[in-house]
Amino acid sequence: MSAGGAQDKNKGSKASREPIAGPETLEPPYPILVEGEVVSGFGRGGKQLGIPTANLPEEVVERTLADIPIGVYYGWARVEGDSGEVRPMVMSLGWNPYFKNEKRSGEVHIIHKYADDFYGKHMKVAILAYIRPEKDYESLDALIDDIHTDIRVAVASLARPAYARVRENPFFTS
């Protein structure tokens, strides 16, 4: 869906995108800080897409994130037991039209290779900017290609000083 709420009719075209998303400095409402226990999702991220996700609890999605547009975001995340590391992330917030989800979800892909799942671990997420609206796709490969583009955009965008500093926010250590 677009920021206005209507589903994007672009079926995952290969149109080029800007390499960086968001302004040079954070602007309200960002950062949006959320946390909760990692819960089981639909089981597609790692298995079907090769892009594992840590799912936010339904109450976080429905209460804390209810007022932000559906789409893809980037920021930082920290998972309990990960040596205190704060890592880059991309997050899909929405209905995932390709999979025809019946409930809204918040799926965080932490840009790091983990050996194990971390269901039940506490996760903190700082959402810093919007990348793009949610889309439907003609194929699974088109969806995967777009997610990889989102990851590249997130990494480049987070390298800017105003965004990199959020990694040191006391939220992650409290």
Side-chain angles (χ1 to χ4, degrees), residues 73-148:
Y73 293 82
Y74 67 86
W76 299 103
R78 179 177 175 268
V79 176
E80 169 189 16
D82 187 16
S83 308
E85 289 291 324
V86 178
R87 302 189 188 276
M89 68 85 185
V90 291
M91 180 185 78
S92 169
L93 177 67
W95 300 94
N96 300 315
Y98 180 79
F99 294 107
K100 298 172 180 39
N101 286 6
E102 293 184 9
K103 71 177 183 178
R104 195 166 166 242
S105 64
E107 302 173 53
V108 176
H109 171 68
I110 300 173
I111 304 169
H112 178 74
K113 299 240 185 270
Y114 288 95
D116 299 306
D117 290 332
F118 35 82
Y119 297 119
K121 299 285 187 180
H122 193 78
M123 178 172 64
K124 294 185 174 194
V125 176
I127 303 165
L128 303 184
Y130 184 81
I131 296 177
R132 64 172 175 84
E134 182 175 62
K135 298 178 184 177
D136 197 354
Y137 293 89
E138 294 291 338
S139 70
L140 189 60
D141 286 340
L143 169 60
I144 293 168
D145 287 348
D146 227 12
I147 294 170
H148 284 290

Side-chain angles (χ1 to χ4, degrees), residues 5-77:
Q7 184 171 316
D8 190 326
K9 298 298 180 198
N10 177 344
K11 294 280 193 175
S13 72
K14 287 265 189 183
S16 65
R17 292 200 268 143
E18 293 296 321
I20 292 182
E24 280 302 308
T25 59
L26 292 169
E27 296 178 359
Y30 306 106
I32 298 169
L33 306 176
V34 298
E35 60 184 299
E37 181 180 304
V38 176
V39 298
S40 295
F42 300 102
R44 297 184 292 247
K47 294 174 186 69
Q48 195 170 0
L49 302 176
I51 305 164
T53 58
N55 297 285
L56 293 167
E58 189 175 342
E59 58 272 9
V60 170
V61 174
E62 293 306 320
R63 290 186 196 143
T64 311
L65 302 178
D67 294 332
I68 68 171
I70 297 299
V72 178
Y73 293 82
Y74 67 86
W76 299 103

